[in-house]
């Protein structure tokens, strides 16, 4: 990300090439199965929430299956919640007993996931929640489950954020020293400013950043430490930017949109707002056409499986990616002088000089492609490699692409346009 040089940065070239990753939100909240913020939303106390810890037993956990499904969907990296806001840790941390190995399951859950995804060739990222609604030194604030409980607040008014910040560093040190080379560190999140807000001062973000860069100099860091200029990429959440994202000087920055399938990040049994395969593909393509990545989230169940609805979507995405992956990997926005036609997106691979035309709607018979006259050498439908004919528009810089009447049988048809070398 081209912001200040005050801080060191990781090398984002692999990230820009790979474009598509899997987010995994997994923790105790999979048991209530009604949103990972359930402790906050229902203002649950530790005594109540403890039932999920005592019943945590993911006997169908098969990270090799997760990894295979991610790979098949075309994902090239994954980011897993080592700890979410509830404070529960998936790994065998020495800093707390609030961890998977102390549940009835009795085992570390992180290492098997890393092994499985690495052996499928995916890169590894750690999500780590800066918020912690279980830690005894985390000061109660407006997000805390006991925010409206005066007696609790009174009893816990001497909590010391400095002790908590040290705990965070100890945990991050464990994660970045005990698990090999880590590609992404994904902190979540800062809310400075308000009276009880927390940001760089409370998290001691400078120290945290120094620690991360020292332990894993090549890691890519997200932008939620409230430390301007420190991030390698921006993280728009559950929305699609309207165009390439820019920094203050108007230069494009590296970004990754994170999205859920259905609204909640953690497993949500009764949520019915699941996006279709087609919509998810639109999001991925739209993002790449604006220079962004997609981190698409799954919330495994309490028994450790990927939700059947997630599996179905991953399969559908994978079918499309198998045939159309080269319109995604290594691609970014098209050159500015090539505007995409209506209801279409362009992605562009500058190395191979191929332009990809993605159809979000299927027009009738012809489509005008501006400014391609003299530049276009050959065109084919990407999924089957069948030739696409075109006419040169006399006295204009456009090309008229000729389309079959019937839309090809895939969610988003793509035409691969081979461009001539620049003279
Ligand atoms: C938010 C939410 C959280 C989720 C994250 C993913 O900050 O607090 O539940 O993990 O976004 O981006």
């Amino acid at each position: 990300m081209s912001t200040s040089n005050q801080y060191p940065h990781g090398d984002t070239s692999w990230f820009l090439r790979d474009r598509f990753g899997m987010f995994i939100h997994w923790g105790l909240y999979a048991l209530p199965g009604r949103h990972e913020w359930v402790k906050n939303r229902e203002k649950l106390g530790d005594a109540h929430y403890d039932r999920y810890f005592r019943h945590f037993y993911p006997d169908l956990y098969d990270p090799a299956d997760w990894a295979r499904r991610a790979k098949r969907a075309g994902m090239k990296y994954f980011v897993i919640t080592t700890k979410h806001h509830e404070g529960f840790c998936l790994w065998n941390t020495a800093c707390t007993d609030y961890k998977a190995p102390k549940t009835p399951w009795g085992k570390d859950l992180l290492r098997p996931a890393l092994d499985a995804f690495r052996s499928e060739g995916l890169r590894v990222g750690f999500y780590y929640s800066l918020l912690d609604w279980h830690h005894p030194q985390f000061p109660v604030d407006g997000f805390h489950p006991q925010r409206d409980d005066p007696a609790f607040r009174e009893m816990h008014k001497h909590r010391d954020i400095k002790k908590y910040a040290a705990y965070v560093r100890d945990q991050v040190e464990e994660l970045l020293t005990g698990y090999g080379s880590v590609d992404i560190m994904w902190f979540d999140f800062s809310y400075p400013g308000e009276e009880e807000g927390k940001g760089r001062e409370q998290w001691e973000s400078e120290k945290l950043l120094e620690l991360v860069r020292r332990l894993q100099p090549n890691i890519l860091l997200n932008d939620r430490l409230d430390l301007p200029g420190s991030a390698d990429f921006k993280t728009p959440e559950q929305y699609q930017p309207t165009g390439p994202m820019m920094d203050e000087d108007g230069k494009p920055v590296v970004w990754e949109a994170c999205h859920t399938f259905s609204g909640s990040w953690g497993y949500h049994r009764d949520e019915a707002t699941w996006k279709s395969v087609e919509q998810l593909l639109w999001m991925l393509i739209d993002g790449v056409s604006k220079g962004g990545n997609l981190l698409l989230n799954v919330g495994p169940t309490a028994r450790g499986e990927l939700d059947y609805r997630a599996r179905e979507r991953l399969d559908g995405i994978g079918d499309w990616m198998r045939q159309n992956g080269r319109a995604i990997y290594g691609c970014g926005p098209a050159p500015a002088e090539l505007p995409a036609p209506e209801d279409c997106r362009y992605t562009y691979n500058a190395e191979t000089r191929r332009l990809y035309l993605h159809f979000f709607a299927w027009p009738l018979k012809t489509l005008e492609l501006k400014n391609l006259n003299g530049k276009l050498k050959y065109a084919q439908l990407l999924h089957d490699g069948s030739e696409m004919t075109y006419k040169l528009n006399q006295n204009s810089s456009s090309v008229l692409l000729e389309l079959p009447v019937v839309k090809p049988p895939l969610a988003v048809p793509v035409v691969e346009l081979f461009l001539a070398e620049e003279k």
Side-chain angles (χ1 to χ4, degrees):
M1 194 143 101
S2 68
T3 32
S4 90
N5 291 322
Q6 186 189 352
Y7 300 110
H9 288 279
D11 176 1
T12 53
S13 49
W14 71 264
F15 189 71
L16 287 169
R17 204 168 47 240
D18 285 356
R19 289 298 185 204
F20 190 28
M22 175 180 269
F23 216 173
I24 302 178
H25 276 67
W26 201 33
L28 298 179
Y29 43 79
L31 278 73
R34 48 182 195 270
H35 206 280
E36 78 285 353
W37 275 59
V38 62
K39 197 178 186 193
N40 154 294
R41 290 182 168 187
E42 299 178 16
K43 302 182 186 175
L44 305 176
D46 285 337
H48 178 106
Y49 208 76
D50 193 47
R51 70 190 59 191
Y52 307 129
F53 186 87
R54 282 184 280 108
H55 291 95
F56 187 76
Y57 196 79
D59 59 328
L60 299 178
Y61 178 47
D62 178 7
D65 177 66
W66 297 6
R68 273 194 302 270
R69 289 178 187 279
K71 182 178 184 179
R72 199 186 162 271
M75 293 157 160
K76 300 283 191 185
Y77 61 98
F78 87 118
V79 178
I80 186 166
T81 51
T82 56
K83 177 191 93 167
H84 203 260
H85 309 335
E86 65 180 1
F88 177 70
C89 302
L90 293 187
W91 80 102
N92 195 12
T93 171
C95 305
T96 177
D97 279 345
Y98 204 52
K99 58 181 177 183
K102 291 284 180 186
T103 64
W105 181 244
K107 280 178 268 183
D108 168 29
L109 292 168
L110 185 61
R111 200 177 298 277
L114 301 183
D115 291 346
F117 279 82
R118 282 187 179 129
S119 71
E120 290 291 346
L122 279 84
R123 290 185 189 250
V124 166
F126 289 154
Y127 168 107
Y128 182 90
S129 172
L130 296 165
L131 288 74
D132 194 317
W133 299 328
H134 181 266
H135 196 280
Q137 294 298 342
F138 185 85
V140 179
D141 59 31
F143 289 128
H144 196 278
Q146 276 66 60
R147 59 195 172 278
D148 296 328
D149 180 343
F152 186 93
R153 274 185 175 271
E154 179 57 26
M155 207 189 323
H156 295 273
K157 66 180 176 196
H158 296 301
R159 288 183 170 200
D160 183 353
I161 188 74
K162 293 210 155 318
K163 288 189 183 144
Y164 175 68
Y167 170 85
V168 168
R169 287 195 296 276
D170 288 346
Q171 289 212 308
V172 169
E173 177 152 8
E174 283 183 355
L175 289 169
L176 298 186
T177 52
Y179 297 87
S181 163
V182 178
D183 302 289
I184 297 175
M185 189 72 217
W186 220 102
F187 287 111
D188 191 32
F189 61 87
S190 296
Y191 42 107
E194 310 132 45
E195 202 186 325
E196 296 173 322
K198 294 183 177 64
R200 74 189 87 148
E201 210 182 303
Q202 290 74 20
W203 311 134
E204 301 180 25
S205 296
E206 291 267 1
K207 285 190 195 171
L208 205 45
L209 174 71
E210 186 279 319
L211 178 73
V212 170
R213 294 288 187 215
R214 178 161 53 78
L215 298 177
Q216 300 260 356
N218 296 321
I219 209 164
L220 299 184
L221 179 70
N222 77 336
D223 64 343
R224 297 191 180 184
L225 279 179
D226 181 32
L227 210 54
S230 67
D232 293 305
F233 63 96
K234 280 190 190 293
T235 58
E237 176 176 332
Q238 306 246 42
Y239 73 92
Q240 288 292 107
T242 51
M245 295 187 90
M246 306 291 178
D247 66 11
E248 309 77 43
D249 309 324
K251 286 199 231 106
V253 296
V254 178
W255 62 271
E256 173 197 67
C258 50
H259 281 283
T260 60
F261 281 120
S262 66
S264 162
W265 299 89
Y267 174 62
H268 198 310
R269 184 188 59 201
D270 300 332
E271 208 164 48
T273 48
W274 281 70
K275 298 169 188 86
S276 67
V277 169
E278 190 178 46
Q279 272 178 305
L280 294 161
L281 289 171
W282 288 344
M283 285 153 54
L284 172 63
I285 295 160
D286 180 66
V288 175
S289 81
K290 296 167 182 168
N293 286 25
L294 174 63
L295 187 63
L296 188 56
N297 180 73
V298 296
T301 69
R303 293 192 62 191
E305 284 193 302
L306 299 194
D307 186 290
Y308 67 98
R309 294 160 291 192
R311 287 192 235 163
E312 203 181 285
R313 267 94 183 153
L314 291 172
D315 283 351
I317 294 171
D319 291 341
W320 187 89
M321 287 295 276
R322 192 177 64 78
Q323 296 177 322
N324 300 282
R326 70 176 191 254
I328 298 294
Y329 307 126
C331 291
E337 68 276 14
L338 299 176
E342 207 177 351
D343 298 325
C344 294
R345 296 290 183 281
Y346 272 147
T347 59
Y348 180 60
N349 186 321
E351 223 164 278
T352 61
R353 297 193 55 75
R354 293 184 197 181
L355 181 65
Y356 296 94
L357 172 60
H358 303 251
F359 291 85
F360 291 4
W362 190 249
L364 184 69
K365 288 193 185 169
T366 53
L367 183 66
E368 182 185 0
L369 306 178
K370 294 215 167 93
N371 298 336
L372 278 182
N373 200 343
K375 287 197 178 132
L376 186 58
K377 288 194 304 189
Y378 186 71
Q380 63 181 7
L381 267 170
L382 183 53
H383 74 283
D384 65 356
S386 63
E387 182 179 12
M388 293 290 279
T389 53
Y390 53 90
K391 288 196 197 113
L392 302 181
N393 207 354
Q394 292 305 326
N395 309 321
S396 120
S397 56
S398 300
V399 161
L400 283 183
L401 191 66
E402 301 180 310
L403 307 174
V405 171
V406 177
K407 182 191 171 194
L410 67 166
V412 182
V414 180
V415 172
E416 186 173 43
L417 303 162
F418 294 68
L419 304 192
E421 289 300 321
E422 214 65 78
K423 292 210 186 79

